[in-house]
Amino acid sequence: MAPMGSSTANSLRPSRLDDTHRAALAAIVESGPIPAVHGVVRWRVVDLCQWIFEEFRVTIAKQTLSRELRKMRYRKLSARPRHHAQAQGAIEDFKKVSQPAWTKSHVKKASRPTG
């Protein structure tokens, strides 16, 4: 008997998703959300859980769906975190404004005669 928490203990329980569910999930992930229809601009695991419930009436936990997506070779991508109090445009205000390093000289130098 496998100890609790090992991979064989979890694999004894059948998955809530069958091949039909996985194919539909792959199709919706690949096509991406339609903001007017789905109400989101980027899929999150919680959004996909809700979509699966609405489509198939199958309840699945976020962690379980994340594990299923990893098995299907999908990876979670996350945006770079931003401070909650950061104002829009604040970064641009603090960026240095400097002259370009290379500019044409405005002064013409007189050429020297050779010889």
Side-chain angles (χ1 to χ4, degrees), residues 45-57:
V45 175
V46 69
D47 299 324
L48 292 171
C49 289
Q50 182 66 33
W51 179 83
I52 289 172
F53 180 75
E54 290 170 358
E55 280 295 308
F56 304 108
R57 294 292 181 226

Side-chain angles (χ1 to χ4, degrees), residues 4 7 9 12 15 17 26 30-31 37-39 42 50-52 54-55 63 79 85 101:
M4 290 301 287
S7 61
L12 296 176
S15 173
L17 300 181
E30 288 292 327
S31 67
V37 175
H38 300 112
R42 187 171 295 112
Q50 182 66 33
W51 179 83
I52 289 172
E54 290 170 358
E55 280 295 308
Q63 186 176 4

Side-chain angles (χ1 to χ4, degrees), residues 66-94:
S66 180
R67 194 177 309 121
E68 288 283 343
L69 288 167
R70 280 193 307 258
K71 282 183 197 173
M72 296 167 60
R73 302 226 172 206
Y74 288 103
R75 294 289 175 250
K76 178 182 160 192
L77 300 177
S78 59
R80 184 174 177 176
R82 207 179 74 188
H83 192 273
H84 67 280
Q86 179 178 323
Q88 290 288 62
I91 294 175
E92 286 77 24
D93 294 341
F94 287 100

